């Protein structure tokens, strides 16, 4: 059984995240999407809302579940008895940070492997912060976020 964790802020979930979720769920027997607190970022949506949005968009995928964790990713992986962490890579700019995180996590627990999924070229420019910037200025984000959560995202900026 190949179980993996896909961690992130998901503040909010975008079509780029969903693409990684769908593609990874086809490779792994089980995938947990884990909403994590990021001390480097001030969140727009609280954890409950981010989990609710992720649950809505992942409903069609029976081997995907959604959870949250306030602590170290490596501790969470151990708790869930999962030894694969999946990260998405959009650009070289993602690589440097993710490379450092993967090596630190490897140092903390060598049994846990980080696997990188390359972005779908359709979504390589897409991030949660871009979605929020456009929504805050009244722009149309319907092509950037899953339709199930579109109104929840727009409502936040009304
Ligand atoms: P961000 O706030 O930068 O969008 P998150 O912490 O929510 O990032 O992202 C969680 C994971 O999803 C990270 O591994 C990130 O690199 C990846 N990711 C985010 N957006 C995309 C995308 N458009 N394509 C591929 N991977 C992505």
């Amino acid at each position: 059984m190949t179980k993996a964790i896909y961690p992130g802020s998901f503040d909010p979930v975008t079509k780029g995240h969903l693409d990684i979720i769908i593609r990874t769920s086809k490779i792994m027997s089980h995938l947990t999407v884990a909403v994590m607190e990021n001390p480097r970022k001030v969140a727009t949506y609280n954890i409950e809302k981010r989990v609710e949005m992720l649950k809505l968009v992942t409903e069609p995928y029976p081997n995907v579940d959604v959870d949250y964790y306030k602590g170290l990713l490596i501790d969470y992986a151990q708790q869930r008895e999962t030894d694969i962490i999946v990260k998405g890579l959009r650009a070289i700019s993602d690589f440097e940070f993710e490379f450092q995180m993967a090596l630190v996590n490897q140092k903390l627990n060598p049994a846990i492997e980080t696997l990188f999924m390359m972005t779908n070229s359709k979504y390589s420019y897409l991030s949660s912060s871009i979605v929020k910037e456009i929504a805050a200025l009244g722009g149309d984000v319907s092509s950037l976020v899953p339709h199930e959560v579109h109104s929840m995202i727009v409502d936040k900026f009304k």
Side-chain angles (χ1 to χ4, degrees):
M1 175 135 168
T2 43
K3 292 198 296 179
I5 293 172
Y6 175 39
S9 313
F10 305 106
D11 186 39
V13 59
T14 68
K15 283 194 176 179
H17 295 131
L18 185 58
D19 179 77
I20 297 286
I21 293 170
I22 295 170
R23 286 162 54 211
T24 309
S25 73
K26 290 180 185 160
I27 302 169
M28 303 291 168
S29 45
H30 189 86
L31 179 67
T32 298
V33 183
V35 178
M36 310 290 293
E37 292 276 33
N38 185 342
R40 294 164 200 247
K41 294 180 190 169
V42 178
T44 304
Y45 300 88
N46 63 34
I47 287 213
E48 291 73 24
K49 199 76 190 167
R50 287 183 262 158
V51 167
E52 184 188 338
M53 287 193 268
L54 279 163
K55 281 190 172 163
L56 274 174
V57 306
T58 57
E59 215 192 299
Y61 310 99
N63 64 336
V64 176
D65 78 325
V66 181
D67 196 6
Y68 68 90
Y69 190 71
K70 297 178 180 176
L72 267 184
L73 175 59
I74 219 78
D75 291 339
Y76 179 66
Q78 227 160 1
Q79 198 175 297
R80 294 290 306 245
E81 297 179 344
T82 304
D83 46 23
I84 301 172
I85 292 168
V86 169
K87 294 295 197 87
L89 277 186
R90 277 162 292 194
I92 297 173
S93 52
D94 273 345
F95 181 78
E96 201 173 337
F97 176 72
E98 296 295 356
F99 183 63
Q100 184 185 20
M101 290 306 292
L103 291 183
V104 166
N105 286 334
Q106 193 180 70
K107 182 93 187 151
L108 293 175
N109 187 342
I112 296 177
E113 294 288 356
T114 303
L115 298 185
F116 292 101
M117 291 287 284
M118 206 49 72
T119 185
N120 184 322
S121 58
K122 281 196 288 190
Y123 304 127
S124 59
Y125 60 88
L126 191 49
S127 68
S128 299
S129 33
I130 283 286
V131 166
K132 287 185 280 191
E133 268 182 54
I134 297 172
L137 296 170
D140 179 10
V141 293
S142 57
S143 61
L144 311 180
V145 298
H147 66 91
E148 295 91 337
V149 295
H150 178 252
S151 61
M152 288 159 98
I153 291 167
V154 171
D155 285 351
K156 180 88 185 168
F157 294 96
K158 265 188 186 153

